[in-house]
Amino acid sequence: MHIMEGFLPPVHAAAWGLASLPFLVMGARSVVRVTREHPRAKLLLASAGAFAFVLSALKIPSVTGSCSHPTGTGLGAILFGPAVMAVLGAIVLLFQALLLAHGGLTTLGANIFAMAIAGPWVAYGVFRLVRTLGGPLALGVFLAAALGNLATYLVTSVQLALAFPDPVSGFLGAVTKFGSVFALTQIPLAIIEGLLTVLVVNLLIQFSRDDLDELAFAPGVVR
């Protein structure tokens, strides 16, 4: 998620930055572990970051001070785990803030927490749940990407509501208002992202099966 530069009060911006730090440290360790244990997966890891960069750069203006877009973080989360996406997502958000004026440096911590932490953890949890219950791979991938996307915007709604509570209905009223406005664009975008992620995973199964086998991703899927 991209909250614009300078939009959050300094205290809120700093607090979200501090909240993101432990996940970034854990993510950095996970990236080192993945690249050491699965050297062949480096290209796939970079591709997951590129996928997130491209999708999240497609922005549609939404609630004042923010925008709606796909996130692209669900793919990396189900392939490498959610911790890795904290680092990849942070890099994506930093480059977009510096090169595209998309998001900002003061709001980087909040954007990381929403898009690179909350979204991937929800996506990973949903994927593992569907697979544990015996659900089809395509269903798990679709729900992971779509619900991970929606989770990002739910967290962003909370972030904005904490900073700008409604004068009458307070925090809960603000969350409802922000979430309702986001839903107009985000629900269709989440569905599209889910379908696109299923397509990408199917292509990976077809053309990069060896890399997926090394990661033990979706074992038993027919080549």
Side-chain angles (χ1 to χ4, degrees):
M1 182 53 215
H2 300 68
I3 299 175
M4 67 184 291
E5 176 67 42
F7 193 74
L8 291 178
V11 173
H12 288 252
W16 287 112
L18 290 174
S20 298
L21 277 179
F23 294 93
L24 291 172
V25 172
M26 181 171 59
R29 292 175 177 173
S30 294
V31 170
V32 171
R33 177 182 55 79
V34 168
T35 55
R36 183 178 64 246
E37 296 178 358
H38 308 287
R40 286 188 51 181
K42 291 180 181 179
L43 182 58
L44 190 57
L45 182 66
S47 299
F51 184 74
F53 181 89
V54 171
L55 286 194
S56 61
L58 304 173
K59 61 180 181 178
I60 301 172
S62 188
V63 176
T64 300
S66 65
C67 56
S68 292
H69 54 78
T71 65
T73 57
L75 176 65
I78 63 176
L79 290 177
F80 298 100
V84 168
M85 286 312 299
V87 174
L88 294 186
I91 294 172
V92 165
L93 289 165
L94 177 61
F95 271 80
Q96 289 178 343
L98 293 175
L99 302 179
L100 303 179
H102 194 182
L105 295 179
T106 61
T107 56
L108 186 61
N111 291 333
I112 288 173
F113 196 91
M115 193 182 96
I117 296 172
W121 276 96
V122 168
Y124 180 78
V126 168
F127 180 75
R128 297 311 308 170
L129 177 62
V130 172
R131 295 299 285 166
T132 299
L133 295 176
L137 176 64
L139 178 63
V141 172
F142 173 80
L143 291 178
L147 295 181
N149 178 298
L150 293 177
T152 293
Y153 285 87
L154 177 59
V155 171
T156 300
S157 298
V158 170
Q159 291 171 331
L160 293 174
L162 286 171
F164 307 103
D166 186 84
V168 178
S169 54
F171 167 74
L172 292 179
V175 169
T176 301
K177 290 180 180 179
F178 285 129
S180 298
V181 176
F182 277 137
L184 296 176
T185 53
Q186 210 53 41
I187 291 177
L189 285 175
I191 294 173
I192 293 171
E193 180 173 346
L195 295 173
L196 179 59
T197 306
V198 171
L199 175 62
V200 171
V201 168
N202 286 338
L203 290 173
L204 290 175
I205 291 173
Q206 183 176 357
F207 296 106
S208 300
R209 181 69 259 183
D210 291 340
D211 293 333
L212 297 183
D213 286 342
E214 184 175 342
L215 295 172
F217 177 77
V221 175
V222 178
R223 288 177 179 267

